[in-house]
Amino acid sequence: MACRAAGKRGIDVGLTRVLTSPSLGHAVGLTSRTSLDGASVRYIPESSFSSFLQGSGHHATKESSIRCFHASRELWARRKNDNQGVDLKTQKKGKFAKRIKKPPVDAPYVPPKLKRITKSLQDKTIDIFEGMTTVELAKRTGQSVITLQEFLVNLGEKVVSEFDPLKIDVAELVVMEVGANVRRQHSNEGSEILPRPVVVTVMGHVDHGKTSLLDALRQTSVAAKEAGGITQHLGAFVVRMPSGASITFLDTPGHAAFSAMRARGAAVTDLVVLVVAADDGVMPQTLEAISHAKSANVPVVVAINKCDKPSANPERVKLQLASEGFLLEEMGGDIQVVEVSAVTKTGLDNLEEAILLQAEMMELKARVDGHAQAYVVEAKLDKGRGPLATAIVKAGTLVCGQHVVVGSEWGRIRAIRDMSGKLTERARPAMPVVIEGLKGLPMAGDDVTVVETEERARMLSAGRRRKYEKDRLRQIMEQRTETNEPSEDDSVVPERTEMPLIVKADVQGTVQAVTDALRTLNSPQVFVNVVHVGVGPISQSDVDLAQACGAYIVGFNVKSPPSSISQAAIQAGTKIMQHQVIYHLLDEVGNLIVDKAPGTLETQVAGEAEVLNIFELRGRSKSAGGDIKIAGCRVMGGHFSKSSTMRLLRSGEEVFEGPCASLKTNKHDVELVEKGNECGLVILGCNDFQIGDVIQCLEQVVRKPKLIISDNGIARIECY
């Protein structure tokens, strides 16, 4: 009723509710009383509303009608609680309204997550090229221009503008300072671009005739000089064909241990000749060579060798290749297939024609002028000439006297020799050469980079060496972290011993191959730890290192050490293993691992006996053990030992198992009873024998691992 009256006079009900508050009630002349039922009643004079709205609330009229607003106790208590402690000024809404301060919330502190910049840069590879600016380098590295300019100043470079071109060597140093990996992008543009010879890599399974085929092409006999009749090095040759064309051949090993060599050969080649024996067919290393060729994206020419043998079946080989996804020309594809024989020298003209035809279709050209780009296929340490690197020039011209950086090593080229050993002043594209003058031995697979000054070569070599060491330490820490992480499986970890090895070989590529092959012999019981690798003969420092860490020395294709070093190794208790064939090396090291392995304990049945009669021994005192039952048995197989555990079986089910308390033959105590003999047997704690029961003798034996060498030469240790 009061709201209806206020509405008739044009007063908003919301304003009325605000005016009913105690703070404004006295300002406008509101009074309150208590009704009979306990509810609070507000008396609002009519003149008070009009005077309040007109701004003259002090002129009150005596004749004013009273408006009553009734409310229950619950409603007024709720309003009182809502309005208590709230100022009307804070009820403003809008841009300049004050916010009520809330008490702080008791919550645990959560630190902010750190940005993972370092790891992303370590796993990132940045492409650089000659003439790139600091701005472009900053975009690729994700660093600011100011940071990169500070690196340039530290390197001794003059910084004028961020748009000035940088040398590719300087850009590499800056990227290595940032912590990322570097990949150089070389331009093939030059003032003189000429056709170059084709680089062909011969790949295939072991003993399929790759080296014999090359000997037939170049009229040599290299295969007869190989240890064990198999190739264990990566060789490069330039063959002058009867047509007058020159072809650069790379001969790769076919053994499973030399997979990295085959990968390096495919990385630098233009064409792959896949050799498959007609009597053997497609083998595991044949499939691996196919995968290397596909990953390198190079064309393939298939040479089916040994077609002169009576068991040769070239058609079967073609079907096997087609089943592996090789589309041969005879089946509508583009892969050429040539049937040859290295022994009778038949089909060599067709093979030469196929190689030259494929090279002509590829239109091979290279830049001749400018700094050379080369790829190291092999490296070795010569006693008289020092570190030697066998490289193939990909572009440019390599000149004697230039400063080069090969991987993390540097030097000034003292001499360049071709593969026949003749000195030459310069090497052009697709030409394999041997470089002398390096300060250290590079790794097989490194790139040869020509720099302008010796100072720049030193800086680049030192930067790469620091980057390599950081990456190596990071990998070690990651491996240790993974090893120390608690596994979800709470099973008992088997005992594992360590077998430290020192590997020495004749060339760098062979060192890597032998090291990788030895690490494949790791097993759950023996950890093969290669503590040191090196190129060259076994020295006194190797013996001292082996004595310090208790390692074995492995020499592959190296000369026998002098008698003084051999005598020092014998006195130190160090074993030296020397081999020239990878099969024999893996066989000896594998057997050594099997002997050193702790093995696993296994329960085996040593013998079985049948119960023929039962004897009972009564009247014994309690101190002697009381009454016992003796089983009269005949050993049906194996043997019975007194120190073994006995298992009682009845109808094929286990009844009791316990140690042997007594074993007698003809009333005499014995330790062992062989097959076919009778004995009396007492099992401790067992008095439930029946005629016809079977008793088994159980023994704990140590089961050693087993060395398994497959047909393709892969060795592994199988643990039980």
Side-chain angles (χ1 to χ4, degrees), residues 15 22 49 75 155 180 333 379 416 423 507 624 670 677 715:
L15 179 60
F49 281 103
L75 182 59
L155 294 174
I416 300 177
L423 288 172
V507 294
V670 293
N677 297 325

Side-chain angles (χ1 to χ4, degrees), residues 172-193:
E172 181 177 350
L173 288 171
V174 172
V175 173
M176 286 191 297
E177 287 292 333
V178 171
N181 300 319
V182 184
R183 181 169 54 213
R184 292 190 171 212
Q185 298 292 333
H186 298 282
S187 175
N188 294 326
E189 298 179 359
S191 59
E192 189 177 3
I193 297 183

